[in-house]
Amino acid sequence: MSLPHAILTALLEKPSSGLELTRRFDKSIGYFWSATHQQIYRELGRLETDGLIRALPSEQPARGQRKSYEVLPAGRAELARWTAASQDPRPMRDTLLLRMRAAAVVGTAGLEEDLRRHLELHRRQLAEYEEIEKRDFPPVRDSSQDRLRHLVLRAGIDLETFWTRWLTHALEEFPEDVPGPGTA
């Protein structure tokens, strides 16, 4: 249910074509809500059919031209309704944690190397978020909108900080190969 709301948010920030939305997802919203090019185009069609967005009039013939979309009042109202609604936190589902639990019964072969790989990936993501924070959120930018956007980025920074600390700890505590049941 959140992809249409992510698209409405992006379009309210700036009317865009599907291609522009895909690029913006890759650079911002995609850090916490990803979508493929096809998913975005499919959802744009639904949102237009539902009367929540409209294609902006084009100065040139539509054939072969990119359509840009804007949010209609019904789309803004839907986004406001969704934003105000209460939602419970989602339970965490993480394949790495499940694999570690499974390793306790079948052995840890290959897992330590993957933990190191994950640690490096999280370190890189943390560095990228911190660079975005320095670039996009200087102390002089302090509007309500900037504070909310910065809070979203801080969530990413805090999550990556957690994962880098936890993975470092996991590697320090990593046991020698745990043999599976029935192995000696």
Side-chain angles (χ1 to χ4, degrees):
M1 184 59 155
S2 295
L3 179 57
H5 299 101
I7 291 172
L8 288 170
T9 299
L11 289 175
L12 279 169
E13 291 172 343
K14 180 181 176 195
S16 304
S17 69
L19 181 58
E20 290 166 334
L21 280 173
T22 299
R23 289 180 181 146
R24 288 174 57 208
F25 264 70
D26 288 345
K27 292 180 181 176
S28 62
I29 292 174
Y31 286 122
F32 56 90
W33 196 268
S34 62
T36 66
H37 189 72
Q38 292 84 4
Q39 289 171 317
I40 289 171
Y41 273 94
R42 190 169 39 248
E43 200 56 53
L44 284 169
R46 285 187 194 122
L47 290 168
E48 190 173 23
T49 299
D50 292 347
L52 302 179
I53 66 171
R54 74 174 180 122
L56 292 169
S58 177
E59 294 142 14
Q60 298 175 351
R63 189 169 183 86
Q65 296 294 317
R66 280 191 238 165
K67 283 190 205 178
S68 285
Y69 296 90
E70 70 177 354
V71 177
L72 295 170
R76 180 180 283 278
E78 168 52 25
L79 189 59
R81 182 209 59 76
W82 180 77
T83 302
S86 176
Q87 285 187 329
D88 291 337
R90 298 188 82 133
M92 187 166 98
R93 292 174 59 169
D94 190 280
T95 306
L96 179 63
L97 297 177
L98 181 58
R99 289 175 50 227
M100 288 183 72
R101 180 73 184 252
V105 293
V106 299
T108 60
L111 191 55
E112 183 175 4
E113 182 181 324
D114 203 37
L115 288 172
R116 291 186 192 289
R117 187 180 69 81
H118 276 251
L119 177 57
E120 182 54 33
L121 291 170
H122 284 288
R123 283 180 175 156
R124 276 192 253 153
Q125 190 64 64
L126 177 58
E128 186 175 340
Y129 286 164
E130 288 171 339
E131 195 58 40
I132 291 169
E133 183 177 43
K134 285 180 199 168
R135 181 191 70 219
D136 294 348
F137 295 100
V140 295
R141 286 186 68 179
D142 198 33
S143 69
S144 298
Q145 294 88 351
D146 285 336
R147 284 195 305 270
L148 287 172
R149 289 181 185 117
H150 193 195
L151 282 170
V152 173
L153 178 61
R154 282 300 321 170
I157 290 170
D158 292 347
L159 284 169
E160 295 303 330
T161 299
F162 162 78
W163 280 113
T164 56
R165 287 181 183 159
W166 183 85
L167 285 159
T168 299
H169 177 75
L171 286 163
E172 289 167 356
E173 297 287 321
F174 200 80
E176 294 300 317
D177 190 35
V178 176
T183 61

